[in-house]
Amino acid sequence: MHSSEQAARAARLCRRAAIVAGAGLLYAVFVTVTGWAIPCPFHLLTGLYCPACGVGRMCLALLLLDIAAAWQANALLVCLLPGLACVFAVSGVRYIKSGVFSLVRWQSVLVWLMIALLLVFGVLRNLPPFAFLAPA
């Protein structure tokens, strides 16, 4: 492994992260200025909340460091963010060092666990006893 190869991989990864972050910030500015946001197609079609309903408001609230509002928008995703960040960070470091961008066993298990939790959350937030999980 040459450090120049690692530096090139790190630069590529940073450029891609900057593009994603920039797109997110542009969307946040657009929503803040216009008040228009992309609605959830699942909710529009079914009237039910999907596991990701409220994620836009959650992200906007997190940008403003308003944890309470983020929690009200999508509590489970707020809880899952540190795990997702860990998976991305470890994968990014592995990619920079080796050029391989894949999940190791513990990361795959964690991602599948998160997916299962999101599916259960998506069902529960539509049941009357769990109406408090609906996005606010």
Side-chain angles (χ1 to χ4, degrees):
M1 306 275 154
H2 295 21
S3 63
S4 63
E5 292 172 1
Q6 290 178 342
R9 284 193 292 264
R12 269 193 307 275
L13 194 59
C14 287
R15 275 192 305 273
R16 291 175 183 163
I19 289 168
V20 170
L25 287 174
L26 282 174
Y27 179 70
V29 169
F30 176 80
V31 171
T32 302
V33 170
T34 66
W36 297 340
I38 299 171
C40 175
F42 182 80
H43 184 68
L44 284 176
L45 290 173
T46 66
L48 300 172
Y49 298 114
C50 78
C53 275
V55 75
R57 285 175 299 220
M58 179 198 75
C59 290
L60 289 172
L62 289 175
L63 282 173
L64 299 172
L65 302 176
D66 187 348
I67 306 301
W71 184 267
Q72 288 177 337
N74 196 311
L76 182 61
L77 281 176
V78 170
C79 293
L80 294 180
L81 283 176
L84 286 171
C86 181
V87 167
F88 281 117
V90 171
S91 294
V93 169
R94 185 179 316 105
Y95 170 71
I96 290 169
K97 287 182 178 180
S98 69
V100 175
F101 198 85
S102 64
L103 302 179
V104 295
R105 183 169 168 79
W106 71 266
Q107 290 172 304
S108 293
V109 169
L110 183 60
V111 167
W112 282 109
L113 177 63
M114 288 183 204
I115 290 169
L117 287 171
L118 283 165
L119 291 174
V120 170
F121 179 70
V123 171
L124 290 178
R125 70 192 322 200
N126 289 290
L127 299 175
F130 298 96
F132 63 93
L133 295 175

